Amino acid sequence: MNAQDLRTLCKGPVIDAGDAQFRDALHGNLWNRLIPDRAPRMIVKVADEDDIIATVKFARAHGLKVVVRGGGHNWCQPTLRNGGILIDLERLNRILSIDVEHRRAVIQPILSNREIQTALNAHGLAFPTGHCPQVKASGYFLGGGMAWNPTVWGYGTESLEAIELVTAEGTLIWASESENADFFWAARGAGSGFFGIVTKYFLKLHPLPRAIHGSQSFYRLADAPAVGTWLGQAAPAISPSVELTLFLVQAPPALADRAAGSNGWVCMVTATAFEDDPEVARRALQPLDDAPVEPLSRSRVTPLDFEQLFDASGALFPEGVRSRVEATYSDHCPGAVMAAILPAWQRAPSAISVFLTTIFCGPHVPGPQRDMARSITSKIYGGPWTMWHDADADAVNAEWHRAVTAVLKPFNVGYYIGETNTVEQPEIVAQAFTPEKWRRLCDLRDRYDPDRVFFDYFDGLTAEPRREIG
């Protein structure tokens, strides 16, 4: 058994651990530049479904595990495993069809949130994509699909109609709620523990809102608890069309002097109304003018499009940085969360870190989800995105991040599997699901991948003896 044997079966390149280009193929397209020392024996940059099938069958025949790189943010790098084969889907990056009349589309897995939205918006259509422009569909859907406009459109996984995938047997199948339903259930939220490789996503589209309007306000950092309490109390009466988020960020240049006493940190509130009429959008955002404290600055009812939304989100979560993230769900008052973390946040070692709390508006939180692995709902969602540039700052940022997440633990009712560190904290994997759904997910893995062809959440994260494979 050697890499050359697999090369004869695949059209895409097969890169062996001993090849000169191996390190770049392994690390070059990773979002998070905090990269652990874990590596497979081979990487296959598959050209199509046939390459995936051939690679899975090759792995089965030679007792190797496979892991799939699907283009999420890889906060804890779950696609880096010791041993086995990494199947990289980066070449499966096309929109295969858009049916404007019936509001349907078919895409391959490596389309970014921005690319999907741009293509659809040109036809007056939209999809509940994720917020970060660079995240690809595969990582997004497997993580559960935390979407724009969630209280109206639901999560991205709720607008999936079907998928095409390769099983652990190396068989290409179709899965939907009525056919191969177990695979369809698991693919919507199982994250890095999914026991298949999705090759196509079949999307149900939505009309593009004709009046997307936003407001933005900045407050003193010390006012964050009061602002959070006010927003938590006001949210049930705010229109569900409003996406409301409270951030802790560094002040923009115009406010830098006024934030100097808090090491440059401020509280930022953004609200985006997804409506069809500008006057309806204005009324939906009106409650955000009634803050109990005076803002440092405010912009009201600004027309927006998805390009601008992605630009704003991308600026908060820049590329090329080292990151630690723990995104959680909570039913506590957001003001109490702010009060708990404020002492630590003022000592943040990196000025590009962000704390995010999405506060769901309307009388109901998103969900309950349809029948899918994605599980947790709550009144608020978020956590610390600890980001920095230099390797010399790894230790101080890691220590600070752990301190912040420890403060937050009493507030947590669950975790978002796509944006938390399940490598260092494997015990929280199960807490990304309800107990019933976690048991079902484990049972389905036993049923559909009994030979453990796919790495699960926990495999391949510690060193193993390396041996030459040719």
Side-chain angles (χ1 to χ4, degrees), residues 394-432:
D394 286 356
V396 66
N397 279 279
E399 181 181 2
W400 178 82
H401 182 82
R402 293 188 189 103
V404 172
T405 57
V407 170
L408 289 170
K409 282 195 182 297
F411 297 92
N412 299 346
V413 298
Y415 295 83
Y416 184 47
I417 194 70
E419 294 183 327
T420 193
N421 195 335
T422 57
V423 173
E424 291 187 1
Q425 302 176 91
E427 70 279 2
I428 69 174
V429 171
Q431 297 174 52

Side-chain angles (χ1 to χ4, degrees), residues 73-147:
H73 267 175
N74 289 308
W75 299 107
C76 62
Q77 313 292 20
T79 67
L80 295 179
R81 306 294 181 113
N82 284 311
I85 302 173
L86 168 61
I87 296 177
D88 193 328
L89 305 180
E90 67 175 13
R91 297 183 174 201
L92 305 186
N93 56 12
R94 294 186 295 122
I95 295 177
L96 300 176
S97 67
I98 299 175
D99 182 340
V100 176
E101 180 182 0
H102 298 99
R103 296 179 189 163
R104 299 291 186 270
V106 184
I107 65 171
Q108 291 185 311
I110 310 300
L111 266 292
S112 73
N113 289 324
R114 189 192 291 268
E115 289 168 332
I116 294 168
Q117 211 67 261
T118 298
L120 297 178
N121 293 173
H123 298 285
L125 298 171
F127 185 81
T129 61
H131 296 73
C132 291
Q134 309 92 340
V135 169
K136 307 304 188 291
S138 187
Y140 172 66
F141 286 127
L142 289 176
M146 183 63 72

Side-chain angles (χ1 to χ4, degrees), residues 74-278:
N74 289 308
W75 299 107
C76 62
Q77 313 292 20
T79 67
L80 295 179
R81 306 294 181 113
N82 284 311
I85 302 173
L86 168 61
I87 296 177
D88 193 328
L89 305 180
E90 67 175 13
R91 297 183 174 201
L92 305 186
N93 56 12
R94 294 186 295 122
I95 295 177
L96 300 176
S97 67
I98 299 175
D99 182 340
V100 176
E101 180 182 0
H102 298 99
R103 296 179 189 163
R104 299 291 186 270
V106 184
I107 65 171
Q108 291 185 311
I110 310 300
L111 266 292
S112 73
N113 289 324
R114 189 192 291 268
E115 289 168 332
I116 294 168
Q117 211 67 261
T118 298
L120 297 178
N121 293 173
H123 298 285
L125 298 171
F127 185 81
T129 61
H131 296 73
C132 291
Q134 309 92 340
V135 169
K136 307 304 188 291
S138 187
Y140 172 66
F141 286 127
L142 289 176
M146 183 63 72
W148 289 109
N149 199 17
T151 42
V152 175
W153 286 338
Y155 297 112
T157 45
E158 296 180 273
S159 289
L160 272 182
E161 293 196 319
I163 57 174
E164 181 184 272
L165 75 146
V166 176
T167 70
E169 296 291 333
T171 303
L172 186 68
I173 65 170
W174 164 284
S176 66
E177 289 184 338
S178 60
E179 186 175 350
N180 295 309
D182 287 340
F183 285 97
F184 190 55
W185 181 91
R188 294 172 294 163
S192 62
F194 182 54
F195 41 89
I197 304 172
V198 181
T199 59
K200 292 186 181 72
Y201 292 94
F202 296 77
L203 313 183
K204 179 182 73 175
L205 309 179
H206 301 263
L208 175 66
R210 295 191 296 273
I212 303 175
H213 285 64
S215 68
Q216 182 182 73
S217 301
F218 290 94
Y219 300 88
R220 294 185 311 126
L221 183 67
D223 289 331
V227 172
T229 298
W230 159 59
L231 293 175
Q233 293 170 346
I238 296 175
S239 170
S241 69
V242 174
E243 183 167 338
L244 177 63
T245 308
L246 184 156
F247 296 92
L248 301 183
V249 296
Q250 281 285 293
L255 299 177
D257 289 345
R258 302 179 68 181
S262 56
N263 290 327
W265 296 102
V266 292
C267 171
M268 179 177 73
V269 176
T270 64
T272 306
F274 294 85
E275 293 284 2
D276 287 325
D277 182 278

Side-chain angles (χ1 to χ4, degrees), residues 288-458:
L288 280 305
D289 291 341
D290 299 330
V293 295
E294 188 68 22
L296 298 173
S297 71
R298 172 182 289 160
S299 64
R300 292 182 174 92
V301 197
T302 304
L304 298 168
D305 58 25
F306 270 104
E307 284 296 304
Q308 292 166 306
L309 291 173
F310 283 131
D311 287 346
S313 179
L316 288 170
F317 306 103
E319 297 186 70
V321 300
R322 307 165 81 82
S323 309
R324 286 179 174 267
V325 175
E326 186 166 283
T328 66
Y329 298 92
S330 176
D331 286 320
H332 283 73
C333 168
V337 175
M338 291 293 104
I341 68 164
L342 224 53
W345 201 268
Q346 294 182 86
R347 302 190 300 271
S350 173
I352 63 172
S353 293
V354 171
F355 193 93
L356 174 156
T357 299
T358 294
I359 303 166
F360 297 113
C361 294
H364 307 291
V365 300
Q369 281 85 50
R370 285 157 40 188
D371 191 23
M372 63 182 72
R374 196 193 199 292
S375 301
I376 309 298
T377 60
S378 63
K379 294 179 180 178
I380 65 174
Y381 157 84
W385 271 250
T386 304
M387 298 175 284
W388 67 99
H389 289 290
D390 299 324
D392 290 346
D394 286 356
V396 66
N397 279 279
E399 181 181 2
W400 178 82
H401 182 82
R402 293 188 189 103
V404 172
T405 57
V407 170
L408 289 170
K409 282 195 182 297
F411 297 92
N412 299 346
V413 298
Y415 295 83
Y416 184 47
I417 194 70
E419 294 183 327
T420 193
N421 195 335
T422 57
V423 173
E424 291 187 1
Q425 302 176 91
E427 70 279 2
I428 69 174
V429 171
Q431 297 174 52
F433 307 92
T434 61
E436 297 77 14
K437 289 189 176 184
W438 174 242
R439 286 193 294 270
R440 181 179 177 186
L441 191 56
C442 294
D443 290 345
L444 292 179
R445 171 174 281 279
D446 288 342
R447 178 178 178 182
Y448 293 109
D449 188 14
D451 300 321
R452 296 299 190 265
V453 174
F454 290 100
F455 283 101
D456 67 12
Y457 303 101
F458 315 109

